[in-house]
């Protein structure tokens, strides 16, 4: 905690309500006092660099390189990923890794290199270590992708945790992406980005901080190739990025730079090289396959904040039914929980919740419940007392249980970094499953106080188990939400072994995709918030989290009907499609904006339902390959600089290109198209890429293009799946995939592969491995057979 937290807490007295504000001030004062006495005092430090190479010990996939003042462990794994750790740091233990570290590649050998350095040559990458400790990553052809200069440590003279800094250089044409998704993105321009999960509170700084899912994961795209770099330390830190410049100064290039400064933790790093698809596949093999959401989770979610009880829930459902609006999931906020502990359901306002949940399920609607880590400090409460008996709550440096603030008031917080606590917490979800809930969304899991400023709840000096290693909140903070998600996911797997869990986190770190998705929340006010929501989803996808999305609604108050519609139209093409309304949420229901908005909103919701088989296919492919549903335009052509710099459109899988309207008063917009033929799905007109086209974007829709030759599984009028096929360009072929899903279970369905080709004047669709044509029995509708190709 610093002085800004305390000042903000004092200011919050007038903004968060008198009682809650006073609790916030007291909690901030407690944090300040705890850290003043529980953290080691700052004193003199001693700077250190690696020095020169002294000895080398080759080993499987690489080896150890001893320097005069440090030791570097370097290994190339069988999946092509490169690991190196300074001071002998090993890949494990790590909250990012899924299970054990991959085996070393036996073909990769550490061998002498020029000027006293060493190198490891592998199939996809060459790593060169200089005599003084610079680490260079090159393509198989010898082109440099990244050069890490010798690191520097600042060690306390009296002993303790060392701070460190790693400065890296990338090609002058390179572009930065990732870091968990940032508001100014998806391309990360020059600036300082903090690596500390924090509730958004009242707004963002210049670099888009704070964020609730900050990850030290960068994706760097250059002409020479694409690489992902992950520095595996969960401590607080900053990344300072500066893009390079070609021809800067007498015709010489100025390299792009990335400077990472961390307050502690091991200096260890993973690098993956290749095409974007290969890089994300290697990343998923390292950090874990994304959890497969149940089929219903890809539909339309609606979150309702309010305390009106069952009648309010029925009103939301009836309103959607009355106005013929598809609805698949209803999320309940904290208003449905008891006010003492803030965990169990308030049975006075929801006396027959299981009956209501059963009625809604028969209509195809699921209920999702909010969960926060803060447990109200209520003696006699079953959850609170259960945690006390198990010594489950986070303690301070002096041994007392740490108290913070949540929506139930004064609260204590489970230490999810301990396996015993995770097991206990996961068992608690049985209560809400018995109430009929089908899934859970986590809030305030940064962990953040329930206040206008989103300051932290736990002091940095708070102690954590860290799965047997022991440590304090400086190391545990960023992985707290990930460990909470793990507790819920593992608990639900035990409680409902036949169903895929639905866990939606508000916070996360590298590897959180193993347990579910990430909700980026209300991505901000006004039109800048609309643009930010796209940037956050794209950034998270490149960090390995394919299932995410913002809250769709007029989060800045009443909002304008135009802004509401544009938010809805974008959200309908994002993985998590969750609308939001109710007291404290801002905005309203679609029918509250008038007949025209209602008609256009219905069109967006109906289109989302039509595309559900396509989204389900993308979810299965993400689990198998790590590829995000939502991809930047450069995904298949990272060498195209025009696509690298395009931030206002995205690919949905391989088949669709979506160009949302991100500003007011727009009825036409320019769209950058990748190479190939693209059809405007509304008009059927064809355009040839690469290049920019100007297309209509009326209030009722946003421009969406289909790739020529694409096969899109969609929902037909009868509720079954049909194949929407877009005609290939003359003389070309196409194809696509469909993964049928049984619903909520764990069956691994067979991938249906379809090929599309011209046969004379006819378009033929064939399923690979099946006899005959016509989509192997599935209805087929061919589009794009109309007149002429549009001019660029």
């Amino acid at each position: 905690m610093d002085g800004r937290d305390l000042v903000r807490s004092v200011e919050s007295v007038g903004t968060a309500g008198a009682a809650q504000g006073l609790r916030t001030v007291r909690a901030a004062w407690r944090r300040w006092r705890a850290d003043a006495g529980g953290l080691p005092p700052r004193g003199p430090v001693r700077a250190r660099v690696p020095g020169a190479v002294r000895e080398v010990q080759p080993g499987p996939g690489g080896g150890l390189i001893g320097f005069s003042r440090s030791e570097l462990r370097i290994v190339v794994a069988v999946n092509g990923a490169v690991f190196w750790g300074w001071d002998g740091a090993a890949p494990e233990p790590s909250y990012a890794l899924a299970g054990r570290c991959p085996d070393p590649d036996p073909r990769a050998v550490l061998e002498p290199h020029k000027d006293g350095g060493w190198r490891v040559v592998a199939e996809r990458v060459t790593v060169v270590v200089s005599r003084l400790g610079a680490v260079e990553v090159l393509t198989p052809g010898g082109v440099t992708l990244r050069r890490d200069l010798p690191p520097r440590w600042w060690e306390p003279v009296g002993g303790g945790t060392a701070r460190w800094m790693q400065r890296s250089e990338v090609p002058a044409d390179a572009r930065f992406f990732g870091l968990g998704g940032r508001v100014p993105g998806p391309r990360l321009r020059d600036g300082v980005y903090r690596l500390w999960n924090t509730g958004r509170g009242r707004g963002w700084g210049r670099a888009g901080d704070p964020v609730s899912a900050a990850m030290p994961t960068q994706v760097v795209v250059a002409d020479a190739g694409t690489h992902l770099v992950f520095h595996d330390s969960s401590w607080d830190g900053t990344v300072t990025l500066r893009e390079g410049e070609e021809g800067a100064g007498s015709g010489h290039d100025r390299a792009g730079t990335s400077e990472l400064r961390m307050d502690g933790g091991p200096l260890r790093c993973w690098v993956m090289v290749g095409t974007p698809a290969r890089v994300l596949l290697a990343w998923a093999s390292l950090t874990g396959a994304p959890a497969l959401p149940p089929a219903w989770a890809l539909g339309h979610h609606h979150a309702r904040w309010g305390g009106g009880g069952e009648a309010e829930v029925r009103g939301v459902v009836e309103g959607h039914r009355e106005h013929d609006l598809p609805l698949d999931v209803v999320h309940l906020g904290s208003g449905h929980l008891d006010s003492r502990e803030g965990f169990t359901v308030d049975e006075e306002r929801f006396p027959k919740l299981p009956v209501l949940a059963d009625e809604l399920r028969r209509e195809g609607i699921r209920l999702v419940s909010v969960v926060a880590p803060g447990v109200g400090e209520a003696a006699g409460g079953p959850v609170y007392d259960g945690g006390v008996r198990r010594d489950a709550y986070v303690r301070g440096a002096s041994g007392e249980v740490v108290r913070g603030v949540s929506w139930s008031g004064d609260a204590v917080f489970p230490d999810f970094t301990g396996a015993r606590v995770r097991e206990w917490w996961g068992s608690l979800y049985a209560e809400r499953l018995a109430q009929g809930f089908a899934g859970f969304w986590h809030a305030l899991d940064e962990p953040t106080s329930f206040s206008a400023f989103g300051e932290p709840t736990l002091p940095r000096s708070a102690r954590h188990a860290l799965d047997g290693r022991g440590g304090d909140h400086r190391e545990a903070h960023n992985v707290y939400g990930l460990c909470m998600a793990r507790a819920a996911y593992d608990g639900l797997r035990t409680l409902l072994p036949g169903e895929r869990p639905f866990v939606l986190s508000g916070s996360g770190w590298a590897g959180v995709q193993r347990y579910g998705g990430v909700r980026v929340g209300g991505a901000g006010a006004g039109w800048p918030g609309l643009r930010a929501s796209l940037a956050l989803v794209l950034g998270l996808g490149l960090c390995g989290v394919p299932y995410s999305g913002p809250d769709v609604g007029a989060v800045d108050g009443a909002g304008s009907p135009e802004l509401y519609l544009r938010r809805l139209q974008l959200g309908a093409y994002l993985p998590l499609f969750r609308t939001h309304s109710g007291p404290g949420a801002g905005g309203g229901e679609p029918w509250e904006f008038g007949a025209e908005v209602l008609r256009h909103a219905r069109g967006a919701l109906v289109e989302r339902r039509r595309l559900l088989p396509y989204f389900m296919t993308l979810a299965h492919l993400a689990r198998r390959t790590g590829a995000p549903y939502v991809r930047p335009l450069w995904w298949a052509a990272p060498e195209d600089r025009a696509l690298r710099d395009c931030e206002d459109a995205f690919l949905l899988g391989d088949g669709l290109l979506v160009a949302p309207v991100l500003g007011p008063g727009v009825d036409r917009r320019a769209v950058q198209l990748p190479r190939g033929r693209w059809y405007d799905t509304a008009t059927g007109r064809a355009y040839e890429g690469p290049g920019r086209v100007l297309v209509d974007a009326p209030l009722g829709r946003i421009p969406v293009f289909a790739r020529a030759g694409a096969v899109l599984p969609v929902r037909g009028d009868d509720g079954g799946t049909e194949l929407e096929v877009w005609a290939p360009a003359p003389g070309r072929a196409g194809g696509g995939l469909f993964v049928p899903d049984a619903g909520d279970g764990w069956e691994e369905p067979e991938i249906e592969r379809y090929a599309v080709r011209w046969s004379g004047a006819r378009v033929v669709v064939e399923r690979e491995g099946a006899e005959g044509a016509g989509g192997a029995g599935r209805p087929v509708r061919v589009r794009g057979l109309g007149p002429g190709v549009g001019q660029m």
Side-chain angles (χ1 to χ4, degrees):
M1 175 187 176
D2 57 28
R4 289 177 298 178
D5 293 324
L6 187 58
V7 171
R8 288 175 173 178
S9 299
V10 172
E11 291 177 347
S12 72
V13 171
T15 60
Q20 194 76 335
L22 288 173
R23 291 191 187 100
T24 303
V25 172
R26 288 198 299 267
W29 178 251
R30 289 195 298 264
R31 289 195 305 274
W32 182 83
R33 285 197 308 171
D35 285 345
L39 291 177
R42 291 189 177 183
V45 296
R46 181 184 298 110
R48 173 170 62 93
V49 295
V53 172
R54 290 289 180 87
E55 59 181 352
V56 175
Q57 300 177 27
L64 292 174
I65 303 176
F67 295 81
S68 59
R69 290 181 291 276
S70 187
E71 182 181 69
L72 176 66
R73 181 191 306 273
I74 185 166
V75 178
V76 178
V78 290
N79 65 351
V82 180
F83 170 84
W84 66 78
W86 285 98
D87 290 346
E92 301 175 52
S94 169
Y95 282 105
L97 299 187
R100 296 298 306 273
C101 177
D103 293 333
D105 184 348
R107 300 168 297 175
V109 179
L110 184 64
E111 60 186 24
H113 193 49
K114 61 183 180 180
D115 301 326
W118 292 77
R119 72 176 183 179
V120 180
V121 180
E123 179 183 1
R124 302 172 189 167
V125 65
T126 296
V127 185
V128 175
V129 181
S130 77
R131 182 177 64 88
L132 296 177
V135 181
E136 193 170 6
V137 178
L138 302 92
T139 68
V143 180
T144 299
L145 294 176
R146 182 180 196 88
R147 183 171 186 266
D148 284 11
L149 303 180
R152 177 171 296 183
W153 294 266
W154 289 270
E155 300 170 330
V157 172
T161 301
R163 296 179 290 114
W164 54 265
M165 183 268 285
Q166 176 70 74
R167 183 179 173 86
S168 309
E169 296 178 345
V170 297
D173 66 287
R175 299 289 183 261
F176 298 101
F177 301 86
L179 294 181
R182 299 289 167 146
V183 168
R187 172 184 163 192
L188 303 178
R189 291 173 170 78
D190 297 0
V192 180
Y193 301 87
R194 191 178 179 191
L195 298 171
W196 186 254
N197 291 348
T198 311
R200 183 174 61 84
R202 287 194 165 182
W204 292 287
R206 187 177 63 85
D209 294 320
V211 294
S212 58
M215 303 180 194
T217 307
Q218 297 178 35
V219 174
V220 185
V221 185
D223 286 353
T226 300
H227 72 273
L228 181 149
V229 58
F230 169 60
H231 288 88
D232 194 354
S233 171
S234 61
W235 286 64
D236 193 1
T238 59
V239 179
T240 302
L241 299 179
R242 184 185 182 191
E243 291 184 346
E245 183 179 351
E246 295 178 289
S250 303
H252 297 288
D253 291 348
R254 175 173 59 81
T257 60
S258 170
E259 183 178 283
L260 176 63
R261 291 178 176 266
M262 301 295 287
D263 287 349
L267 202 176
R268 54 185 181 179
C269 175
W270 287 92
V271 176
M272 280 132 272
V273 174
T275 64
R278 185 181 291 275
V279 163
L280 266 293
L281 177 62
W283 179 239
S285 71
L286 187 71
T287 61
L292 184 66
W296 55 262
L298 294 168
H300 171 215
H301 301 236
H302 186 78
R304 178 73 180 180
W305 284 97
E310 294 180 13
E312 187 172 83
V313 176
R314 293 183 185 277
V316 168
V317 174
E318 182 58 35
H320 283 76
R321 184 189 299 116
E322 177 185 347
H323 295 94
D324 195 23
L325 300 174
L327 179 64
D328 300 283
V329 191
V330 175
H331 291 231
L332 300 188
S334 60
H336 78 289
L337 303 177
D338 72 89
S339 59
R340 295 180 67 237
E341 291 186 306
F343 190 91
T344 55
V345 171
D346 186 336
E347 295 189 0
E348 290 185 7
R349 277 179 291 165
F350 291 87
K352 298 180 180 179
L353 190 54
V355 176
L356 172 62
D358 185 62
E359 291 176 3
L360 295 180
R361 188 181 288 256
R362 288 199 297 268
E363 297 181 30
I365 300 173
R366 267 72 171 184
L367 287 181
V368 167
S369 177
V370 69
V371 180
V375 177
E377 198 174 17
V383 178
Y384 174 76
D385 284 357
V388 171
R389 289 194 301 271
R390 293 168 174 81
D391 191 21
Y393 300 123
V394 175
R395 292 183 177 270
S398 58
E400 79 289 353
V401 173
V402 175
R403 294 162 58 207
V405 178
S406 189
W407 50 46
S408 58
D410 288 336
V412 292
F413 296 82
D415 182 9
F416 297 118
T417 68
R420 178 178 53 83
V421 176
R422 288 196 299 267
E423 183 178 1
W424 164 69
W425 186 264
S427 70
L428 297 178
Y429 288 75
E431 180 262 344
R432 273 185 252 187
L433 290 175
Q435 295 281 357
F437 288 106
F440 303 90
W441 60 285
H442 292 171
L444 308 182
D445 52 340
E446 288 83 2
T448 298
S449 286
F450 185 66
S451 76
F453 293 95
E455 67 267 7
T457 57
L458 300 175
R460 291 172 177 256
S461 57
R463 304 299 298 172
H464 290 268
L466 291 171
D467 287 287
R469 293 183 292 112
D472 60 36
H473 196 63
R474 293 175 297 173
E475 182 177 0
H477 176 88
N478 280 338
V479 298
Y480 188 88
L482 177 147
C483 292
M484 181 181 177
R486 178 181 177 181
Y489 184 86
D490 290 348
L492 293 172
R493 287 292 306 269
T494 300
L495 294 167
L496 293 176
E499 296 185 16
R500 303 197 294 260
F502 177 78
V503 178
L504 186 64
S505 297
S507 176
W509 203 65
V512 70
Q513 75 277 357
R514 300 191 295 264
Y515 313 118
V518 172
R519 177 186 63 91
V520 301
W527 293 95
L530 175 59
R531 182 177 290 271
S533 65
L534 174 58
L536 290 166
V537 172
L538 280 166
L540 282 168
L542 292 173
C543 291
V545 184
Y547 183 75
S548 70
D551 284 335
V552 175
V555 295
D556 51 338
S560 70
E562 180 189 14
L563 176 58
Y564 175 81
L565 264 182
R566 295 311 193 189
R567 286 184 185 272
L568 193 70
Q569 290 162 350
L570 170 59
Y573 292 97
L574 298 180
L576 169 65
F577 181 31
R578 187 175 103 151
T579 54
H580 206 191
S581 66
E589 313 293 355
W591 51 88
E592 297 176 12
F593 289 93
E596 183 182 18
V597 171
L598 175 62
R599 177 166 54 87
H600 295 324
R602 183 182 300 112
L605 295 173
V606 168
E607 178 63 6
R608 172 57 176 239
R609 175 154 290 188
R610 192 181 76 90
L611 289 175
L612 282 180
Y614 186 51
F615 273 97
M616 195 71 252
T617 295
L618 295 179
H620 277 281
L621 295 179
R623 179 166 180 79
R624 301 184 189 208
T625 69
Y629 314 10
V630 170
R631 308 164 186 177
L633 291 189
W634 48 261
W635 177 261
E639 71 283 353
D640 189 328
R641 296 191 179 189
L643 298 181
R644 288 210 298 260
D645 293 340
C646 182
E647 302 178 273
D648 62 356
F650 61 92
L651 298 174
L652 182 59
D654 287 332
L656 293 177
L657 186 156
V658 182
V661 173
L662 304 176
V666 173
D667 58 10
R668 286 176 67 80
R669 62 151 293 177
V671 181
Q672 184 74 38
L673 296 178
R675 183 176 302 278
R677 174 171 290 190
W678 295 86
Y679 294 97
D680 185 325
T681 59
T683 66
R685 186 178 181 185
Y687 298 88
E688 295 292 340
R692 291 174 67 85
V693 298
L694 188 64
V695 295
D696 291 334
L699 186 62
R701 62 175 176 86
I702 57 176
V704 178
F705 295 83
R707 188 190 302 273
V711 177
L712 306 178
V714 298
R715 182 184 176 117
D717 294 338
D718 61 355
T721 300
E722 66 179 31
L723 304 178
E724 181 176 273
V725 177
W726 290 87
R732 305 297 297 271
L737 307 174
F738 171 50
V739 184
D741 186 80
D744 300 345
W746 293 98
E747 294 182 14
E748 287 286 346
E750 179 185 356
I751 298 178
E752 298 180 9
R753 304 176 186 274
Y754 295 94
V756 182
R757 59 181 175 84
W758 285 100
S759 177
R762 296 173 58 248
V763 173
V764 177
V765 182
E766 298 173 320
R767 179 177 174 182
E768 295 182 8
E771 296 182 1
R778 296 195 181 275
V780 175
R781 183 162 58 100
V782 179
R783 300 188 61 185
L785 297 177
V789 175
Q791 298 299 309
M792 300 301 294

